Amino acid sequence: MDNGILNQYNGFDTYYRGNDRYLINVLVRFILLLKGGVFMITHKQEFKKELNLKVIIKAYMILFALIMVIFCSIKGPLAWGEYDDYTLPAASLLNDHNFSITESDINYYNGLFPERAVFDANTLKVLSGYQTRDGNGIITWYFPTYAIISLPLVLTLHWLNLPASYGFMYTNILLVMILVVVVYKYLKASDKKKMAVILLLTINPIIFYIPWLSGEILIFAFLGLMMVSWYNNWYKRAAIFLSIAGTLNATVMTAGFIMILEYLVKWIKNKPSDKTIPAYMKSNFLEIIKYGCCYIIGIVPMIYNYYNTIT
């Protein structure tokens, strides 16, 4: 081949190959840029969806709270069943700073809750519970956990010259709202799952218990907090919440056996291979004791009633 033609061919080939690499480089960069743009758009859309879901959850919680407050304020507290066991201790705590119900506590109750002034001296004869060791009063069947937690709102309404008995009802709303806020803020799950849980917690028959002057909402709320903590592997918090619910209903404490069993199984699984069980137990003894102590709250009512009542 003629040297001129050969050189011309080689030059063309070099030019072609160089431009080919350049075109490929430009094409790759364009594809990456396009892909990045698509990713950013998709990510932005997903972010907007996530943001919109968060806004929806917050709006729903606010709307639910407002509806419950309005509904309960119009309907008023419902005094059914064992409401006296749950509300009388509030008067006793304020009157003579103890849990036993006496005639003076009943008079104080009628003054504190004039809209519910239905009790008289005969109430002590029909009130369910235990007689105190000194024979001067009655300790209600249910431990006054609900009365203690309701006192801040009861006193606030009393100070505002509003019907103080509404304080129990508003405490019920507050307990449910604390539960759903904890689910939203702390449950280790996606926002979709959080929304589903919140809907399940608020759209169910428990809402009909909110106006009732009773501890059922407290049990429901603290068991819900226990479940969130247990799901998140916060065993000590779960045990405390379960124990608080257990002060009103000892049967719920049976869930503690399952929690303790799971705790021990996970504890054994996490044992280093180079340690024996006795050595491992010794190194974690304090943590095990701390966890066990979280359940003590649940047996406080039994201990209190044993030493202060005629059983």
Side-chain angles (χ1 to χ4, degrees), residues 235 258-267 287-288 291:
Y235 285 96
I258 302 172
M259 289 168 56
I260 292 170
L261 180 61
E262 185 189 67
Y263 178 84
L264 292 175
V265 169
K266 286 187 176 181
W267 177 77
E287 281 300 310
I288 295 173
Y291 177 57

Side-chain angles (χ1 to χ4, degrees), residues 164-218:
S165 62
Y166 280 59
F168 296 104
M169 187 172 55
Y170 294 146
T171 297
N172 291 342
I173 298 173
L174 182 61
L175 288 169
V176 174
M177 291 310 303
I178 289 173
L179 173 58
V180 296
V181 169
V182 167
V183 168
Y184 172 69
K185 293 281 288 183
Y186 300 108
L187 182 64
K188 294 179 180 179
S190 66
D191 287 339
K192 288 182 180 179
K193 290 181 179 179
K194 288 179 181 179
M195 185 65 186
V197 172
I198 289 171
L199 289 173
L200 288 172
L201 290 173
T202 53
I203 305 178
N204 71 64
I206 197 65
I207 63 173
F208 298 110
Y209 284 79
I210 289 178
W212 188 20
L213 306 181
S214 174
E216 269 66 21
I217 293 291
L218 185 147

Side-chain angles (χ1 to χ4, degrees), residues 3 12 14 21 35 40 48 50 59 68 76 120 123 142 144 155 166 181 193 204 212 228 231 248 252 262 286 288 290:
N3 287 335
F12 176 77
T14 303
R21 292 193 190 97
K35 184 179 179 182
M40 288 179 66
K48 283 184 176 179
E50 185 178 347
M68 286 297 101
D120 54 30
T123 300
Y142 297 100
L155 288 173
Y166 280 59
V181 169
K193 290 181 179 179
N204 71 64
W212 188 20
V228 172
Y231 182 85
L248 287 178
V252 303
E262 185 189 67
L286 188 59
I288 295 173
K290 286 180 181 177

Side-chain angles (χ1 to χ4, degrees), residues 10-43:
N10 289 335
F12 176 77
D13 183 60
T14 303
Y15 173 81
Y16 175 78
R17 289 178 183 277
N19 277 275
D20 187 42
R21 292 193 190 97
Y22 175 76
L23 288 171
I24 291 173
N25 188 30
V26 170
L27 184 60
V28 169
R29 288 175 181 272
F30 177 75
I31 292 171
L32 289 175
L33 183 64
L34 184 63
K35 184 179 179 182
V38 172
F39 173 78
M40 288 179 66
I41 293 171
T42 305
H43 185 69

Side-chain angles (χ1 to χ4, degrees), residues 88-89 91-93 95-106 124 127 130-134 136-140 144 304 308-309:
L88 278 169
S92 179
L93 286 165
N95 183 39
D96 47 22
H97 317 298
N98 59 46
F99 298 157
S100 62
I101 310 301
T102 61
E103 189 172 342
S104 66
D105 294 329
I106 292 174
L124 291 177
L127 184 65
Y130 310 96
Q131 188 174 12
T132 56
R133 287 189 179 274
D134 59 14
N136 293 327
I138 297 292
I139 291 179
T140 56
Y304 180 85
N308 293 281
T309 63

